[in-house]
Amino acid sequence: MHVAIGSDHAGYALKVNLMAFLKERGETYSDFGAHSEDVSIDYPDVAWAVAESVASKKVERGILICGSGVGMSIAANKRSGVYAVLGNDLYTAKMSRLHNDTNVLALGGRLLGPTLAREIVSLWLDTPYEGGRHDQRLDKIKDKEFSKGERDTSCETNTNNGKLILVDHPLVQHKVSIIRDKNTSVKEFRELVQEIAGLMAYETTRTLALEPIDVETPITRTVGKTLQGKKLAVVPVLRAGLGMVEGILRLIPNAKVGHVGLYRDPETLEPVEYYCKLPNDIQERDIFILDPMLATGGSAVAAIDLVKRQGGKKISLVNLIAAPEGVRRVHASHPEIDIYVAALDEKLNDHGYIVPGLGDAGDRLFGTK
């Protein structure tokens, strides 16, 4: 069985112990952090990463650990398709599998010792779902998750006022899988990045205001709706962000385009600014900063800083793939920013690349190395 496991700083020590236990059992696992108990971690970010991995069937089960387990269970259960249990005792863990078919186990790192925690995890992993009379009850929950009128095209995690919004439309997820493939050609990669950006634009522009307009059809007069004069700007971060612009402009041809030039120092992994050109009325526009990858978050924070210094106020960040570390860094520096992503991956590696990611987006867009 492949298990996604994650914790905040309070659950780090127990997470390390349980990873060793999973290995002893012969299970495989993906570690979604935290990677230290010395750095404070916002538990919703880790919970969402694990929940997404479970809901998208990348793993079979998920284990989350914070101080009590309560926060992790609440956050994980915001994701459709996730059924998380706060299982700090053996009976609850067992019954949650037998009757509720839970797929995420939340534990309290400050409440459980390693021996009991291992017993709980072992029982939870080994207990099958009974089915039978419980199926109709779970079906009612599933029907409610995707009932008419609910927003099931994206899932949101609040971080202060800003949100992390995963655009999980099937077409988006299908195309993301193709651009991850190392064998995808430059031509196809470039076209798919434009297509994904265009599909994500439906979500990023969801809150645009409308106003009534009189329309005369071939049959009669009626009242339709039109955009309420909102001014928009797209600001790609050079160079990789350029690959997303065309896909968005096809839907919003009147948007103005600015550019921010940043590169990542290979030693420090910190961004270095070399160019910034924005529309003169940037302060009046809704701004979408574009960059395929949100890795360490350094370039994103620097780009937002630059746009704010030029007068930008209403700013959103649009990325194809993000790492939890980058999301945390952006929201730590700019807590009001909404971040739209097509995928939230596991972590960064030692070189600052997203895992599993897709490699260097700029190189793959432009055929360079």
Side-chain angles (χ1 to χ4, degrees), residues 157-179:
T157 299
N158 286 307
T159 309
N160 294 330
N161 296 320
K163 299 185 293 293
L164 171 65
I165 303 163
L166 178 75
V167 183
D168 62 352
H169 190 283
L171 285 175
V172 172
Q173 296 306 307
H174 170 72
K175 293 174 187 293
V176 167
S177 294
I178 299 175
I179 64 173

Side-chain angles (χ1 to χ4, degrees), residues 232-253:
L232 305 177
V234 293
V235 180
V237 177
L238 302 177
R239 63 181 170 152
L242 289 172
M244 301 172 66
V245 174
E246 184 62 31
I248 293 176
L249 290 182
R250 287 174 185 166
L251 291 176
I252 318 170

Side-chain angles (χ1 to χ4, degrees), residues 33-49:
H35 302 295
S36 167
E37 60 186 351
D38 299 323
V39 179
S40 180
I41 297 294
D42 292 334
Y43 64 82
D45 295 334
V46 178
W48 177 246

Side-chain angles (χ1 to χ4, degrees), residues 202-325:
Y202 286 101
E203 190 63 35
T204 60
T205 57
R206 178 184 287 272
T207 59
L208 293 181
L210 297 170
E211 61 186 6
I213 183 174
D214 290 329
V215 178
E216 186 170 354
T217 78
I219 307 301
T220 186
R221 294 189 64 84
T222 187
V223 177
K225 295 178 180 179
T226 186
L227 290 175
Q228 201 178 67
K230 271 286 187 184
K231 295 181 178 181
L232 305 177
V234 293
V235 180
V237 177
L238 302 177
R239 63 181 170 152
L242 289 172
M244 301 172 66
V245 174
E246 184 62 31
I248 293 176
L249 290 182
R250 287 174 185 166
L251 291 176
I252 318 170
N254 292 327
K256 288 191 176 181
V257 181
H259 297 87
V260 169
L262 298 165
Y263 68 89
R264 188 167 64 167
D265 186 291
E267 298 297 327
T268 65
L269 303 182
E270 292 301 313
V272 179
E273 173 193 346
Y274 65 89
Y275 185 78
C276 183
K277 183 73 171 179
L278 302 176
N280 291 331
D281 59 350
I282 194 68
Q283 69 279 357
E284 301 174 11
R285 295 182 176 270
D286 281 13
I287 304 157
F288 301 102
I289 296 177
L290 313 179
D291 199 350
M293 312 299 282
L294 177 57
T296 65
S299 295
V301 169
I304 296 166
D305 287 339
L306 281 172
V307 172
K308 283 185 174 182
R309 288 203 297 269
Q310 298 269 349
K313 295 180 175 66
K314 182 65 172 66
I315 302 169
S316 298
L317 181 63
V318 184
N319 310 105
L320 302 189
I321 296 178
E325 295 91 333

